[in-house]
PDB file of all heavy atoms in Angstrom:
ATOM      1  N   GLU A  21     140.120 130.554  89.152  1.00 96.00           N
ATOM      2  CA  GLU A  21     139.117 130.583  90.217  1.00 96.00           C
ATOM      3  C   GLU A  21     139.523 131.545  91.331  1.00 96.00           C
ATOM      4  O   GLU A  21     138.694 132.303  91.859  1.00 96.00           O
ATOM      5  CB  GLU A  21     138.907 129.183  90.798  1.00 96.00           C
ATOM      6  CG  GLU A  21     138.320 128.153  89.830  1.00 96.00           C
ATOM      7  CD  GLU A  21     139.340 127.637  88.816  1.00 96.00           C
ATOM      8  OE1 GLU A  21     140.569 127.745  89.086  1.00 96.00           O
ATOM      9  OE2 GLU A  21     138.907 127.131  87.752  1.00 96.00           O
ATOM     10  N   ILE A  22     140.798 131.534  91.674  1.00 97.00           N
ATOM     11  CA  ILE A  22     141.302 132.439  92.713  1.00 97.00           C
ATOM     12  C   ILE A  22     141.253 133.888  92.226  1.00 97.00           C
ATOM     13  O   ILE A  22     140.955 134.807  92.993  1.00 97.00           O
ATOM     14  CB  ILE A  22     142.723 132.045  93.146  1.00 97.00           C
ATOM     15  CG1 ILE A  22     142.712 130.677  93.824  1.00 97.00           C
ATOM     16  CG2 ILE A  22     143.322 133.090  94.066  1.00 97.00           C
ATOM     17  CD1 ILE A  22     141.836 130.607  95.067  1.00 97.00           C
ATOM     18  N   ALA A  23     141.523 134.101  90.949  1.00 97.00           N
ATOM     19  CA  ALA A  23     141.427 135.448  90.381  1.00 97.00           C
ATOM     20  C   ALA A  23     140.020 136.004  90.547  1.00 97.00           C
ATOM     21  O   ALA A  23     139.835 137.170  90.908  1.00 97.00           O
ATOM     22  CB  ALA A  23     141.828 135.422  88.908  1.00 97.00           C
ATOM     23  N   ASP A  24     139.034 135.175  90.301  1.00 97.00           N
ATOM     24  CA  ASP A  24     137.637 135.593  90.495  1.00 97.00           C
ATOM     25  C   ASP A  24     137.363 135.908  91.962  1.00 97.00           C
ATOM     26  O   ASP A  24     136.664 136.880  92.287  1.00 97.00           O
ATOM     27  CB  ASP A  24     136.679 134.498  90.025  1.00 97.00           C
ATOM     28  CG  ASP A  24     136.671 134.315  88.516  1.00 97.00           C
ATOM     29  OD1 ASP A  24     137.102 135.243  87.803  1.00 97.00           O
ATOM     30  OD2 ASP A  24     136.236 133.230  88.056  1.00 97.00           O
ATOM     31  N   LEU A  25     137.916 135.108  92.843  1.00 96.00           N
ATOM     32  CA  LEU A  25     137.710 135.279  94.278  1.00 96.00           C
ATOM     33  C   LEU A  25     138.337 136.588  94.768  1.00 96.00           C
ATOM     34  O   LEU A  25     137.711 137.344  95.515  1.00 96.00           O
ATOM     35  CB  LEU A  25     138.306 134.078  95.026  1.00 96.00           C
ATOM     36  CG  LEU A  25     137.840 133.815  96.456  1.00 96.00           C
ATOM     37  CD1 LEU A  25     136.334 133.612  96.509  1.00 96.00           C
ATOM     38  CD2 LEU A  25     138.571 132.586  97.020  1.00 96.00           C
ATOM     39  N   VAL A  26     139.576 136.842  94.340  1.00 97.00           N
ATOM     40  CA  VAL A  26     140.266 138.080  94.727  1.00 97.00           C
ATOM     41  C   VAL A  26     139.516 139.297  94.195  1.00 97.00           C
ATOM     42  O   VAL A  26     139.327 140.299  94.897  1.00 97.00           O
ATOM     43  CB  VAL A  26     141.724 138.077  94.217  1.00 97.00           C
ATOM     44  CG1 VAL A  26     142.389 139.436  94.465  1.00 97.00           C
ATOM     45  CG2 VAL A  26     142.525 136.968  94.879  1.00 97.00           C
ATOM     46  N   ASP A  27     139.054 139.200  92.957  1.00 97.00           N
ATOM     47  CA  ASP A  27     138.313 140.304  92.354  1.00 97.00           C
ATOM     48  C   ASP A  27     137.018 140.586  93.115  1.00 97.00           C
ATOM     49  O   ASP A  27     136.672 141.744  93.358  1.00 97.00           O
ATOM     50  CB  ASP A  27     138.016 139.979  90.887  1.00 97.00           C
ATOM     51  CG  ASP A  27     137.568 141.197  90.096  1.00 97.00           C
ATOM     52  OD1 ASP A  27     138.423 142.062  89.809  1.00 97.00           O
ATOM     53  OD2 ASP A  27     136.368 141.284  89.783  1.00 97.00           O
ATOM     54  N   SER A  28     136.330 139.538  93.514  1.00 96.00           N
ATOM     55  CA  SER A  28     135.087 139.695  94.273  1.00 96.00           C
ATOM     56  C   SER A  28     135.347 140.323  95.633  1.00 96.00           C
ATOM     57  O   SER A  28     134.572 141.147  96.116  1.00 96.00           O
ATOM     58  CB  SER A  28     134.397 138.340  94.459  1.00 96.00           C
ATOM     59  OG  SER A  28     134.032 137.772  93.226  1.00 96.00           O
ATOM     60  N   LEU A  29     136.463 139.931  96.266  1.00 96.00           N
ATOM     61  CA  LEU A  29     136.817 140.465  97.579  1.00 96.00           C
ATOM     62  C   LEU A  29     136.994 141.978  97.517  1.00 96.00           C
ATOM     63  O   LEU A  29     136.409 142.719  98.321  1.00 96.00           O
ATOM     64  CB  LEU A  29     138.111 139.802  98.073  1.00 96.00           C
ATOM     65  CG  LEU A  29     138.694 140.344  99.385  1.00 96.00           C
ATOM     66  CD1 LEU A  29     137.753 140.087 100.547  1.00 96.00           C
ATOM     67  CD2 LEU A  29     140.081 139.746  99.645  1.00 96.00           C
ATOM     68  N   TYR A  30     137.777 142.443  96.575  1.00 96.00           N
ATOM     69  CA  TYR A  30     138.018 143.882  96.471  1.00 96.00           C
ATOM     70  C   TYR A  30     136.801 144.642  95.956  1.00 96.00           C
ATOM     71  O   TYR A  30     136.613 145.818  96.287  1.00 96.00           O
ATOM     72  CB  TYR A  30     139.233 144.146  95.581  1.00 96.00           C
ATOM     73  CG  TYR A  30     140.546 143.909  96.278  1.00 96.00           C
ATOM     74  CD1 TYR A  30     141.297 142.767  96.015  1.00 96.00           C
ATOM     75  CD2 TYR A  30     141.046 144.827  97.200  1.00 96.00           C
ATOM     76  CE1 TYR A  30     142.512 142.542  96.648  1.00 96.00           C
ATOM     77  CE2 TYR A  30     142.259 144.614  97.843  1.00 96.00           C
ATOM     78  CZ  TYR A  30     142.987 143.471  97.567  1.00 96.00           C
ATOM     79  OH  TYR A  30     144.193 143.253  98.204  1.00 96.00           O
ATOM     80  N   SER A  31     135.993 143.983  95.165  1.00 95.00           N
ATOM     81  CA  SER A  31     134.782 144.639  94.652  1.00 95.00           C
ATOM     82  C   SER A  31     133.841 145.066  95.769  1.00 95.00           C
ATOM     83  O   SER A  31     133.019 145.968  95.582  1.00 95.00           O
ATOM     84  CB  SER A  31     134.045 143.718  93.679  1.00 95.00           C
ATOM     85  OG  SER A  31     134.806 143.490  92.506  1.00 95.00           O
ATOM     86  N   ASP A  32     133.980 144.446  96.930  1.00 93.00           N
ATOM     87  CA  ASP A  32     133.146 144.813  98.074  1.00 93.00           C
ATOM     88  C   ASP A  32     133.415 146.226  98.579  1.00 93.00           C
ATOM     89  O   ASP A  32     132.536 146.853  99.165  1.00 93.00           O
ATOM     90  CB  ASP A  32     133.375 143.827  99.234  1.00 93.00           C
ATOM     91  CG  ASP A  32     132.442 142.642  99.187  1.00 93.00           C
ATOM     92  OD1 ASP A  32     131.561 142.602  98.305  1.00 93.00           O
ATOM     93  OD2 ASP A  32     132.582 141.750 100.057  1.00 93.00           O
ATOM     94  N   ILE A  33     134.643 146.722  98.370  1.00 94.00           N
ATOM     95  CA  ILE A  33     134.989 148.034  98.923  1.00 94.00           C
ATOM     96  C   ILE A  33     135.378 149.068  97.866  1.00 94.00           C
ATOM     97  O   ILE A  33     135.359 150.269  98.151  1.00 94.00           O
ATOM     98  CB  ILE A  33     136.140 147.932  99.952  1.00 94.00           C
ATOM     99  CG1 ILE A  33     137.414 147.398  99.299  1.00 94.00           C
ATOM    100  CG2 ILE A  33     135.725 147.062 101.140  1.00 94.00           C
ATOM    101  CD1 ILE A  33     138.654 147.541 100.170  1.00 94.00           C
ATOM    102  N   ILE A  34     135.741 148.633  96.671  1.00 94.00           N
ATOM    103  CA  ILE A  34     136.223 149.568  95.647  1.00 94.00           C
ATOM    104  C   ILE A  34     135.052 150.031  94.782  1.00 94.00           C
ATOM    105  O   ILE A  34     134.593 149.310  93.893  1.00 94.00           O
ATOM    106  CB  ILE A  34     137.323 148.938  94.772  1.00 94.00           C
ATOM    107  CG1 ILE A  34     138.460 148.392  95.636  1.00 94.00           C
ATOM    108  CG2 ILE A  34     137.841 149.957  93.764  1.00 94.00           C
ATOM    109  CD1 ILE A  34     139.195 149.433  96.428  1.00 94.00           C
ATOM    110  N   THR A  35     134.581 151.239  95.026  1.00 94.00           N
ATOM    111  CA  THR A  35     133.430 151.749  94.271  1.00 94.00           C
ATOM    112  C   THR A  35     133.802 152.109  92.837  1.00 94.00           C
ATOM    113  O   THR A  35     132.948 152.151  91.964  1.00 94.00           O
ATOM    114  CB  THR A  35     132.840 152.985  94.976  1.00 94.00           C
ATOM    115  OG1 THR A  35     133.869 153.988  95.126  1.00 94.00           O
ATOM    116  CG2 THR A  35     132.317 152.627  96.360  1.00 94.00           C
ATOM    117  N   ALA A  36     135.087 152.379  92.581  1.00 93.00           N
ATOM    118  CA  ALA A  36     135.530 152.745  91.231  1.00 93.00           C
ATOM    119  C   ALA A  36     135.591 151.544  90.299  1.00 93.00           C
ATOM    120  O   ALA A  36     135.763 151.699  89.088  1.00 93.00           O
ATOM    121  CB  ALA A  36     136.905 153.420  91.293  1.00 93.00           C
ATOM    122  N   GLY A  37     135.466 150.342  90.858  1.00 95.00           N
ATOM    123  CA  GLY A  37     135.506 149.134  90.056  1.00 95.00           C
ATOM    124  C   GLY A  37     136.881 148.475  90.071  1.00 95.00           C
ATOM    125  O   GLY A  37     137.847 148.999  90.616  1.00 95.00           O
ATOM    126  N   THR A  38     136.974 147.315  89.464  1.00 96.00           N
ATOM    127  CA  THR A  38     138.219 146.546  89.423  1.00 96.00           C
ATOM    128  C   THR A  38     138.587 146.196  87.988  1.00 96.00           C
ATOM    129  O   THR A  38     137.759 146.256  87.087  1.00 96.00           O
ATOM    130  CB  THR A  38     138.088 145.240  90.237  1.00 96.00           C
ATOM    131  OG1 THR A  38     137.006 144.459  89.689  1.00 96.00           O
ATOM    132  CG2 THR A  38     137.809 145.535  91.704  1.00 96.00           C
ATOM    133  N   TYR A  39     139.848 145.843  87.798  1.00 97.00           N
ATOM    134  CA  TYR A  39     140.327 145.347  86.520  1.00 97.00           C
ATOM    135  C   TYR A  39     141.041 144.040  86.777  1.00 97.00           C
ATOM    136  O   TYR A  39     142.095 144.026  87.425  1.00 97.00           O
ATOM    137  CB  TYR A  39     141.279 146.348  85.850  1.00 97.00           C
ATOM    138  CG  TYR A  39     141.787 145.869  84.499  1.00 97.00           C
ATOM    139  CD1 TYR A  39     141.140 146.232  83.335  1.00 97.00           C
ATOM    140  CD2 TYR A  39     142.897 145.033  84.407  1.00 97.00           C
ATOM    141  CE1 TYR A  39     141.588 145.785  82.103  1.00 97.00           C
ATOM    142  CE2 TYR A  39     143.348 144.571  83.186  1.00 97.00           C
ATOM    143  CZ  TYR A  39     142.686 144.944  82.041  1.00 97.00           C
ATOM    144  OH  TYR A  39     143.122 144.485  80.810  1.00 97.00           O
ATOM    145  N   LYS A  40     140.504 142.936  86.297  1.00 97.00           N
ATOM    146  CA  LYS A  40     141.069 141.618  86.554  1.00 97.00           C
ATOM    147  C   LYS A  40     142.121 141.298  85.492  1.00 97.00           C
ATOM    148  O   LYS A  40     141.796 141.130  84.321  1.00 97.00           O
ATOM    149  CB  LYS A  40     139.972 140.552  86.587  1.00 97.00           C
ATOM    150  CG  LYS A  40     140.461 139.175  87.016  1.00 97.00           C
ATOM    151  CD  LYS A  40     139.308 138.237  87.324  1.00 97.00           C
ATOM    152  CE  LYS A  40     138.408 138.026  86.119  1.00 97.00           C
ATOM    153  NZ  LYS A  40     137.350 137.032  86.346  1.00 97.00           N
ATOM    154  N   ALA A  41     143.384 141.255  85.913  1.00 97.00           N
ATOM    155  CA  ALA A  41     144.482 140.922  85.007  1.00 97.00           C
ATOM    156  C   ALA A  41     144.499 139.429  84.722  1.00 97.00           C
ATOM    157  O   ALA A  41     143.981 138.621  85.503  1.00 97.00           O
ATOM    158  CB  ALA A  41     145.813 141.368  85.607  1.00 97.00           C
ATOM    159  N   SER A  42     145.142 139.063  83.626  1.00 97.00           N
ATOM    160  CA  SER A  42     145.125 137.666  83.199  1.00 97.00           C
ATOM    161  C   SER A  42     145.950 136.762  84.103  1.00 97.00           C
ATOM    162  O   SER A  42     145.701 135.569  84.198  1.00 97.00           O
ATOM    163  CB  SER A  42     145.634 137.560  81.752  1.00 97.00           C
ATOM    164  OG  SER A  42     146.969 138.056  81.653  1.00 97.00           O
ATOM    165  N   CYS A  43     146.967 137.327  84.762  1.00 97.00           N
ATOM    166  CA  CYS A  43     147.798 136.541  85.668  1.00 97.00           C
ATOM    167  C   CYS A  43     148.521 137.483  86.628  1.00 97.00           C
ATOM    168  O   CYS A  43     148.517 138.706  86.442  1.00 97.00           O
ATOM    169  CB  CYS A  43     148.793 135.675  84.902  1.00 97.00           C
ATOM    170  SG  CYS A  43     150.018 136.620  83.965  1.00 97.00           S
ATOM    171  N   ILE A  44     149.177 136.923  87.626  1.00 98.00           N
ATOM    172  CA  ILE A  44     149.864 137.719  88.636  1.00 98.00           C
ATOM    173  C   ILE A  44     150.995 138.542  88.022  1.00 98.00           C
ATOM    174  O   ILE A  44     151.167 139.726  88.358  1.00 98.00           O
ATOM    175  CB  ILE A  44     150.386 136.808  89.766  1.00 98.00           C
ATOM    176  CG1 ILE A  44     149.208 136.324  90.630  1.00 98.00           C
ATOM    177  CG2 ILE A  44     151.419 137.529  90.632  1.00 98.00           C
ATOM    178  CD1 ILE A  44     149.583 135.328  91.713  1.00 98.00           C
ATOM    179  N   LYS A  45     151.778 137.970  87.122  1.00 97.00           N
ATOM    180  CA  LYS A  45     152.909 138.697  86.531  1.00 97.00           C
ATOM    181  C   LYS A  45     152.447 139.932  85.767  1.00 97.00           C
ATOM    182  O   LYS A  45     153.127 140.971  85.786  1.00 97.00           O
ATOM    183  CB  LYS A  45     153.720 137.774  85.627  1.00 97.00           C
ATOM    184  CG  LYS A  45     154.595 136.778  86.382  1.00 97.00           C
ATOM    185  CD  LYS A  45     155.441 135.955  85.426  1.00 97.00           C
ATOM    186  CE  LYS A  45     156.321 134.961  86.198  1.00 97.00           C
ATOM    187  NZ  LYS A  45     157.114 134.108  85.321  1.00 97.00           N
ATOM    188  N   VAL A  46     151.325 139.832  85.070  1.00 97.00           N
ATOM    189  CA  VAL A  46     150.785 140.988  84.344  1.00 97.00           C
ATOM    190  C   VAL A  46     150.417 142.100  85.326  1.00 97.00           C
ATOM    191  O   VAL A  46     150.708 143.275  85.102  1.00 97.00           O
ATOM    192  CB  VAL A  46     149.569 140.582  83.481  1.00 97.00           C
ATOM    193  CG1 VAL A  46     148.817 141.822  82.987  1.00 97.00           C
ATOM    194  CG2 VAL A  46     150.013 139.735  82.303  1.00 97.00           C
ATOM    195  N   ALA A  47     149.780 141.722  86.433  1.00 97.00           N
ATOM    196  CA  ALA A  47     149.398 142.709  87.446  1.00 97.00           C
ATOM    197  C   ALA A  47     150.634 143.356  88.066  1.00 97.00           C
ATOM    198  O   ALA A  47     150.664 144.569  88.297  1.00 97.00           O
ATOM    199  CB  ALA A  47     148.544 142.048  88.524  1.00 97.00           C
ATOM    200  N   GLU A  48     151.666 142.557  88.353  1.00 97.00           N
ATOM    201  CA  GLU A  48     152.913 143.102  88.901  1.00 97.00           C
ATOM    202  C   GLU A  48     153.555 144.077  87.927  1.00 97.00           C
ATOM    203  O   GLU A  48     154.013 145.164  88.314  1.00 97.00           O
ATOM    204  CB  GLU A  48     153.891 141.967  89.226  1.00 97.00           C
ATOM    205  CG  GLU A  48     153.453 141.061  90.364  1.00 97.00           C
ATOM    206  CD  GLU A  48     154.301 139.800  90.470  1.00 97.00           C
ATOM    207  OE1 GLU A  48     154.736 139.272  89.406  1.00 97.00           O
ATOM    208  OE2 GLU A  48     154.535 139.329  91.597  1.00 97.00           O
ATOM    209  N   ALA A  49     153.598 143.693  86.655  1.00 96.00           N
ATOM    210  CA  ALA A  49     154.221 144.536  85.640  1.00 96.00           C
ATOM    211  C   ALA A  49     153.446 145.833  85.443  1.00 96.00           C
ATOM    212  O   ALA A  49     154.037 146.906  85.269  1.00 96.00           O
ATOM    213  CB  ALA A  49     154.330 143.775  84.322  1.00 96.00           C
ATOM    214  N   ALA A  50     152.125 145.749  85.469  1.00 96.00           N
ATOM    215  CA  ALA A  50     151.289 146.938  85.280  1.00 96.00           C
ATOM    216  C   ALA A  50     151.581 147.982  86.353  1.00 96.00           C
ATOM    217  O   ALA A  50     151.690 149.175  86.074  1.00 96.00           O
ATOM    218  CB  ALA A  50     149.806 146.553  85.301  1.00 96.00           C
ATOM    219  N   LYS A  51     151.702 147.529  87.589  1.00 94.00           N
ATOM    220  CA  LYS A  51     151.973 148.454  88.685  1.00 94.00           C
ATOM    221  C   LYS A  51     153.333 149.112  88.545  1.00 94.00           C
ATOM    222  O   LYS A  51     153.465 150.333  88.685  1.00 94.00           O
ATOM    223  CB  LYS A  51     151.881 147.723  90.025  1.00 94.00           C
ATOM    224  CG  LYS A  51     152.397 148.516  91.226  1.00 94.00           C
ATOM    225  CD  LYS A  51     151.663 149.848  91.403  1.00 94.00           C
ATOM    226  CE  LYS A  51     152.261 150.631  92.566  1.00 94.00           C
ATOM    227  NZ  LYS A  51     151.622 151.932  92.743  1.00 94.00           N
ATOM    228  N   VAL A  52     154.357 148.340  88.262  1.00 93.00           N
ATOM    229  CA  VAL A  52     155.704 148.897  88.242  1.00 93.00           C
ATOM    230  C   VAL A  52     155.886 149.869  87.077  1.00 93.00           C
ATOM    231  O   VAL A  52     156.644 150.844  87.188  1.00 93.00           O
ATOM    232  CB  VAL A  52     156.763 147.773  88.247  1.00 93.00           C
ATOM    233  CG1 VAL A  52     156.961 147.160  86.880  1.00 93.00           C
ATOM    234  CG2 VAL A  52     158.087 148.270  88.824  1.00 93.00           C
ATOM    235  N   ILE A  53     155.167 149.677  85.969  1.00 95.00           N
ATOM    236  CA  ILE A  53     155.315 150.637  84.871  1.00 95.00           C
ATOM    237  C   ILE A  53     154.483 151.895  85.100  1.00 95.00           C
ATOM    238  O   ILE A  53     154.782 152.943  84.517  1.00 95.00           O
ATOM    239  CB  ILE A  53     155.000 150.025  83.489  1.00 95.00           C
ATOM    240  CG1 ILE A  53     153.504 149.750  83.313  1.00 95.00           C
ATOM    241  CG2 ILE A  53     155.848 148.790  83.222  1.00 95.00           C
ATOM    242  CD1 ILE A  53     153.118 149.570  81.846  1.00 95.00           C
ATOM    243  N   GLU A  54     153.447 151.834  85.938  1.00 92.00           N
ATOM    244  CA  GLU A  54     152.709 153.058  86.273  1.00 92.00           C
ATOM    245  C   GLU A  54     153.659 154.101  86.853  1.00 92.00           C
ATOM    246  O   GLU A  54     153.676 155.258  86.422  1.00 92.00           O
ATOM    247  CB  GLU A  54     151.603 152.765  87.281  1.00 92.00           C
ATOM    248  CG  GLU A  54     150.422 151.991  86.749  1.00 92.00           C
ATOM    249  CD  GLU A  54     149.436 151.651  87.854  1.00 92.00           C
ATOM    250  OE1 GLU A  54     149.533 152.229  88.959  1.00 92.00           O
ATOM    251  OE2 GLU A  54     148.558 150.803  87.613  1.00 92.00           O
ATOM    252  N   ASN A  55     154.431 153.697  87.842  1.00 90.00           N
ATOM    253  CA  ASN A  55     155.344 154.636  88.489  1.00 90.00           C
ATOM    254  C   ASN A  55     156.558 154.951  87.617  1.00 90.00           C
ATOM    255  O   ASN A  55     157.113 156.043  87.698  1.00 90.00           O
ATOM    256  CB  ASN A  55     155.776 154.090  89.846  1.00 90.00           C
ATOM    257  CG  ASN A  55     154.629 154.085  90.840  1.00 90.00           C
ATOM    258  OD1 ASN A  55     153.674 154.853  90.718  1.00 90.00           O
ATOM    259  ND2 ASN A  55     154.700 153.217  91.830  1.00 90.00           N
ATOM    260  N   THR A  56     156.973 154.001  86.786  1.00 93.00           N
ATOM    261  CA  THR A  56     158.071 154.260  85.856  1.00 93.00           C
ATOM    262  C   THR A  56     157.681 155.338  84.852  1.00 93.00           C
ATOM    263  O   THR A  56     158.473 156.235  84.546  1.00 93.00           O
ATOM    264  CB  THR A  56     158.471 152.965  85.129  1.00 93.00           C
ATOM    265  OG1 THR A  56     158.895 151.988  86.093  1.00 93.00           O
ATOM    266  CG2 THR A  56     159.594 153.215  84.137  1.00 93.00           C
TER     267      THR A  56
END
């Protein structure tokens, strides 16, 4: 439920769209490997 809420919050300003990860750890890992 909170994931949906966070996604809706950012959708208000992000015109490029959002990608809702399955959990917080997945989102954390995705970011750190982008720069790696």
Side-chain angles (χ1 to χ4, degrees):
E21 295 76 21
I22 295 300
D24 290 341
L25 199 58
V26 173
D27 195 73
S28 298
L29 175 64
Y30 282 104
S31 294
D32 270 356
I33 62 168
I34 306 297
T35 57
T38 59
Y39 181 94
K40 187 168 60 175
S42 60
C43 65
I44 287 175
K45 285 184 180 178
V46 167
E48 293 169 325
K51 169 58 183 178
V52 80
I53 71 162
E54 289 175 14
N55 291 335
T56 300

